[in-house]
Amino acid sequence: MVHPTVTQVGRLILDQKAGRDGFLTDEPAGFSATVACTPGVEHHEEVACGLAIFDADRGERLRLDDCSYSVDRHPSGRFRFGFKIGS
């Protein structure tokens, strides 16, 4: 294909313990989402991803060094991006 593209981004799935409504301040927060692409996107390096974290009370963007992501490929061809935000 001349212009391969992302066709769908799934809903965010939070990595929370059962029965909890949120994350504690001193524990890492994690979430994941699946991404489907048109034929021609063969590797996750071809999909640009990013993470922006904002303080809702102050309305300002936070700069955090303790963030990471991983990528797995489903048998369906979709990518699953997993993000971790440190404490």
Side-chain angles (χ1 to χ4, degrees), residues 4 7 9 12 15 17-18 21 25 29 32-35 39 41-42 53 57 65 69 72 75 84 87:
T7 58
V9 176
L12 290 180
D15 297 338
K17 295 179 181 175
D21 293 335
T25 303
S32 62
T34 58
V35 176
V41 180
E42 299 300 324
I53 302 168
D57 294 330
D65 295 327
Y69 77 96
D72 296 316
K84 294 282 184 204
S87 57

Side-chain angles (χ1 to χ4, degrees), residues 21-75:
D21 293 335
F23 298 99
L24 299 176
T25 303
D26 62 345
E27 70 180 352
F31 59 93
S32 62
T34 58
V35 176
C37 300
T38 58
V41 180
E42 299 300 324
H43 302 284
H44 72 274
E45 292 93 1
E46 299 174 50
V47 178
C49 72
L51 185 63
I53 302 168
F54 291 85
D55 182 326
D57 294 330
R58 290 187 252 157
E60 64 186 40
R61 185 173 179 180
L62 302 175
R63 303 285 181 195
L64 302 176
D65 295 327
D66 194 13
C67 297
S68 63
Y69 77 96
S70 62
V71 183
D72 296 316
R73 185 107 189 227
H74 288 219

